[in-house]
Amino acid sequence: MSNDLFKNAIALTGGISTGKSTVCNLFKLHGFLTIDADLIAHKLLDENSNKIASMFGEQYVENGKVLRKELGKIIFSNEENKLKLEALLHPLIKEQIIKESKIFEEQNKPYFVDIPLFFEKMNYPISKSLVIYTPKEIQIQRLMKRDNIDENEAKLKISNQMDIEEKRKLADMVIDNSQNLKHLQAEVERIIGEII
């Protein structure tokens, strides 16, 4: 891979329910291009729904669409299933991200690649990283509310990822999302000031 590939890229990451998509939307409002690995993954899941059905069972696919919530249940709780799915999806996701980033690089200005597992997997040679940070207690509360689950299930989902404090230490830049939207907007503007 040539070094030019992700020259202007900034990896945007964080933990589950720390506010990555909100931050992405704010960057978009400011005219920044973003690549969303999750969105790409969802699209690829549906494109490969036949493979998913034969790997995990017909009950996880309906009308050519993967039932992500149902599939999630056997992925989150089972390491072997998780690795099987990742082996299928990760190379395809990477290929698509590279395709999109080549187009973005032509503009020669910073853009964001939203990769939830950036530090866990280290699959991408992106030199700058931005972590969306929320203290764990708030993260748990938000996840319980968002997915309508109890505290134990929220903690289990969060424990599947690297601790947010660790990510905070590894990041080049951090956005603090522990308060309200107004505060978050100010944080986004501060980062824009640092990168342009």
Side-chain angles (χ1 to χ4, degrees):
M1 258 188 266
S2 71
N3 299 347
D4 284 351
L5 189 54
F6 289 109
K7 202 172 77 218
N8 294 291
I10 298 165
L12 184 147
T13 192
I16 191 167
S17 71
T18 60
K20 291 189 305 294
S21 46
T22 310
V23 169
C24 266
N25 288 333
L26 290 170
F27 279 125
K28 282 181 197 157
L29 286 176
H30 283 279
F32 284 87
L33 295 167
T34 60
I35 297 174
D36 182 339
D38 266 350
L39 213 62
I40 290 172
H42 294 168
K43 218 176 102 221
L44 287 166
L45 267 177
D46 289 341
E47 284 172 14
N48 292 277
S49 58
N50 289 343
K51 280 190 188 140
I52 299 294
S54 60
M55 277 164 82
F56 300 107
E58 300 286 341
Q59 68 271 35
Y60 298 106
V61 175
E62 204 173 86
N63 301 328
K65 287 216 179 305
V66 173
L67 303 169
R68 292 203 306 271
K69 251 201 157 84
E70 292 307 305
L71 185 64
K73 286 177 191 162
I74 60 159
I75 300 301
F76 270 119
S77 58
N78 181 316
E79 189 64 20
E80 197 188 334
N81 285 342
K82 201 169 129 199
L83 293 172
K84 258 184 6 188
L85 186 66
E86 285 175 355
L88 168 71
L89 285 184
H90 282 182
L92 298 171
I93 293 170
K94 188 170 186 174
E95 203 180 317
Q96 189 58 36
I97 287 179
I98 288 170
K99 235 186 345 218
E100 290 183 25
S101 83
K102 278 181 178 157
I103 298 164
F104 287 2
E105 284 295 341
E106 288 169 13
Q107 306 208 7
N108 206 20
K109 58 182 195 206
Y111 61 95
F112 296 93
V113 188
D114 178 350
I115 306 175
L117 297 174
F118 178 69
F119 291 121
E120 283 88 340
K121 298 287 171 205
M122 279 312 210
N123 277 339
Y124 297 87
I126 299 176
S127 61
K128 281 200 214 72
S129 60
L130 167 65
V131 160
I132 318 307
Y133 171 79
T134 302
K136 206 173 207 160
E137 303 72 63
I138 299 179
Q139 198 185 357
I140 291 167
Q141 293 305 320
R142 284 185 184 160
L143 186 58
M144 284 166 67
K145 210 164 116 187
R146 188 191 84 182
D147 289 3
N148 200 7
I149 54 179
D150 64 20
E151 193 171 344
N152 287 335
E153 205 180 330
K155 282 181 172 166
L156 177 72
K157 276 190 170 181
I158 289 169
S159 72
N160 264 302
Q161 302 183 332
M162 185 190 291
D163 189 80
I164 192 71
E165 299 298 335
E166 278 304 298
K167 290 185 180 181
R168 185 185 194 169
K169 285 188 200 124
L170 290 167
D172 299 303
M173 299 172 283
V174 175
I175 279 184
D176 170 37
N177 183 21
S178 60
Q179 295 174 46
N180 53 22
L181 189 59
K182 200 174 164 161
H183 173 261
L184 185 62
Q185 283 169 322
E187 283 285 278
V188 165
E189 280 160 28
R190 175 179 62 80
I191 293 293
I192 291 172
E194 284 179 28
I195 63 175
I196 55 176

